[in-house]
Amino acid sequence: MAEDKESAEALVSKVQRKITEAFNLFDDESNKTVDVREIGTIIRSLGCFPTEGELHEIITEVEEDEPTGFIRFEKFLPTMTKVLMERKFRPIPEELLIQAFEVLDQEKKGYLEPEELKKFMTQEGEPFSNDEMEEMLSASVDPDKNVIFYKDFVGMMTVSEQ
């Protein structure tokens, strides 16, 4: 049983190292704090993709009682360790994302026009903001054909499990 305990401790240690590295990238002042607006980016860089509502819940949990606009590392680390250890907010598998794009591609062309994708992403479900949409389109649109070849795009945006 001692081996199991060691491996669990090693896993926690590895997870906490990843969290620390991600947090430190955004700790511009090197004072163990980050801007609250960067928390979503840090969480996504760790392979977790919460909804806006779930992200707000995490921020509420790690924020000070009197919000300062900054999140302290010592409050972020235990919460994110728990999130990663429970494998919460994992990315959707590549096949499911492709199926979702295929539903939108009713003519089975293998691609979507930028305007089509923009319409779906800003009017359905949890709508993207214009900034988010512009960022996504800049990464997804084929520069030669001015369309989104979604199988290539899905391959680019999915993270393989380590």
Side-chain angles (χ1 to χ4, degrees):
M1 276 312 212
E3 285 179 25
D4 288 344
K5 188 173 182 350
E6 281 179 11
S7 62
E9 286 172 8
L11 181 60
V12 168
S13 176
K14 182 179 169 193
V15 163
Q16 290 190 334
R17 265 196 313 278
K18 281 176 67 174
I19 295 167
T20 303
E21 287 169 11
F23 191 93
N24 287 342
L25 282 175
F26 291 87
D27 182 4
D28 299 330
E29 309 280 321
S30 299
N31 63 358
K32 298 287 186 204
T33 66
V34 296
D35 188 303
V36 69
R37 294 169 295 190
E38 295 173 323
I39 291 297
T41 305
I42 296 169
I43 291 171
R44 286 187 285 278
S45 78
L46 292 165
C48 295
F49 300 91
T51 64
E52 284 302 311
E54 291 164 336
L55 179 60
H56 186 71
E57 286 174 21
I58 294 170
I59 289 171
T60 300
E61 194 172 322
V62 298
E63 218 167 18
E64 299 300 312
D65 294 335
E66 293 291 320
T68 61
F70 292 92
I71 301 297
R72 290 189 357 239
F73 177 72
E74 60 265 21
K75 288 194 86 167
F76 184 72
L77 182 64
T79 298
M80 274 317 293
T81 301
K82 185 172 184 247
V83 165
L84 290 182
M85 295 302 290
E86 292 175 0
R87 303 181 63 75
K88 281 186 173 178
F89 316 124
R90 302 309 295 170
I92 297 167
E94 191 169 331
E95 309 78 60
L96 284 179
L97 286 172
I98 289 174
Q99 286 174 8
F101 277 106
E102 286 172 343
V103 167
L104 302 178
D105 178 19
Q106 294 181 343
E107 296 171 28
K108 308 287 179 248
K109 303 175 296 212
Y111 63 84
L112 293 172
E113 302 285 337
E115 287 308 309
E116 288 178 290
L117 185 61
K118 191 171 187 173
K119 182 177 153 228
F120 291 124
M121 300 303 285
T122 57
Q123 296 175 5
E124 303 292 329
E126 232 179 270
F128 275 44
S129 70
N130 281 337
D131 288 347
E132 290 169 326
M133 203 59 238
E134 290 308 314
E135 193 175 320
M136 182 178 171
L137 288 174
S138 73
S140 63
V141 173
D142 179 281
D144 300 326
K145 306 242 189 291
N146 197 37
V147 296
I148 297 115
F149 291 103
Y150 50 83
K151 287 183 181 169
D152 296 341
F153 180 56
V154 166
M156 184 176 74
M157 68 181 194
T158 51
V159 187
S160 59
E161 288 287 319
Q162 283 92 352

